[in-house]
Amino acid sequence: AIAGAALHIVHLNSTAGRGARDALEMIRGARYHGIDVTTEAYPYTASASLIESPLFDGWSERAVDDYRSLEWVQTGERLTPETFDKYRQLGGWVIMHGRSEEINEWIVSQPDVIVASDGIPFSEGRAHPRGAGTFARVLGYYVRERRALTLMEALRKMTLLPARRLEGVAPVMACKGRIKVGCDADLTIFDLSRILDKATYDMPDEYSTGIEHVLVAGTVVV
């Protein structure tokens, strides 16, 4: 507020957790008072990070169930205090399970929370499923099956909102997220009755179903 800087808060679902309702109320209040602040979330109840990161500093003598909530990406195994120490020395990706699906669905349904997939690299076909399934999960599960939000609301949160977030620093983004003359022909054509994510924590690189065609800059790539 003092600096007048723009702010984008990453992963409302995993950074705020059960405090997400209060956090989003604060974000909206700041925006009401003229502060340029936005946020996003991915549609899964588990998060992921590097086990050697400061996020896990001070994890010694935690309850065993806390360690069991961690999944080592390379093998899919749940951790113990002993394997936690071993892999923390080795370094690598770990998935953190245990968040509330009720809160997750509420966050996904909010009209001003951008849909994000993150950019975690795949290691030997393994990663967090959000890298492969995010957008199909929103459309297939939360729009079609759960009816937590409408199709047009979901599409807006995936396309127009992220483009608008970036336009101030990257004017080329004004040509993204819209279908009209003069804009970039980046198009995904899908069957709403079939689209669904197939990626899981065990098989995170599975292609989604129901996506018929993808064009990038007018060139067919799928």
Side-chain angles (χ1 to χ4, degrees):
I2 294 170
L7 173 65
H8 183 63
I9 299 173
V10 177
H11 298 350
L12 181 68
N13 50 335
S14 57
T15 56
R18 294 187 178 277
R21 294 177 189 270
D22 291 333
L24 189 54
E25 183 179 347
M26 293 172 68
I27 291 168
R28 288 168 174 167
R31 209 158 48 230
Y32 177 80
H33 288 284
I35 298 173
D36 183 8
V37 54
T38 53
T39 189
E40 48 89 327
Y42 53 88
Y44 294 89
T45 57
S47 55
S49 189
L50 291 168
I51 196 170
E52 68 268 27
S53 72
L55 180 65
F56 294 103
D57 288 353
W59 261 60
S60 59
E61 300 183 6
R62 283 257 193 153
V64 173
D65 285 347
D66 289 339
Y67 294 100
R68 291 288 300 162
S69 71
L70 303 179
E71 178 182 344
W72 185 239
V73 165
Q74 291 186 8
T75 63
E77 68 183 285
R78 295 299 184 102
L79 300 190
T80 65
E82 293 74 26
T83 55
F84 174 85
D85 290 338
K86 171 187 171 182
Y87 290 135
R88 190 153 161 79
Q89 292 295 321
L90 181 64
W93 289 99
V94 65
I95 294 172
M96 296 161 277
H97 294 274
R99 286 202 312 271
S100 161
E101 172 57 23
E102 178 184 359
I103 294 174
N104 196 61
E105 182 172 306
W106 179 84
I107 294 172
V108 170
S109 72
Q110 298 308 296
D112 51 347
V113 176
I114 294 170
V115 175
S117 60
D118 210 343
I120 291 178
F122 284 82
S123 175
E124 299 179 357
R126 298 198 63 84
H128 191 294
R130 66 191 178 200
T134 284
F135 302 103
R137 179 169 179 79
V138 171
L139 293 169
Y141 182 66
Y142 288 106
V143 171
R144 185 183 66 240
E145 296 183 9
R146 295 292 301 167
R147 299 186 180 181
L149 70 169
T150 68
L151 172 61
M152 294 309 294
E153 286 173 340
L155 293 177
R156 176 175 171 271
K157 282 154 53 74
M158 296 175 185
T159 58
L160 187 60
L161 288 191
R164 284 180 172 169
R165 170 72 281 188
L166 294 171
E167 285 170 18
V169 293
V172 68
M173 295 306 293
C175 295
K176 305 288 187 183
R178 296 100 163 155
I179 300 178
K180 66 178 184 179
V181 174
C183 287
D184 297 335
D186 299 333
L187 300 169
T188 300
I189 300 168
F190 61 91
D191 181 347
L192 184 59
S193 69
R194 294 195 302 115
I195 191 168
L196 191 64
D197 63 312
K198 302 296 288 184
T200 65
Y201 298 104
D202 293 326
M203 301 181 68
D205 60 345
E206 293 294 296
Y207 287 113
S208 300
T209 59
I211 297 175
E212 307 289 353
H213 307 282
V214 177
L215 289 81
V216 177
T219 299
V220 176
V221 296
V222 175

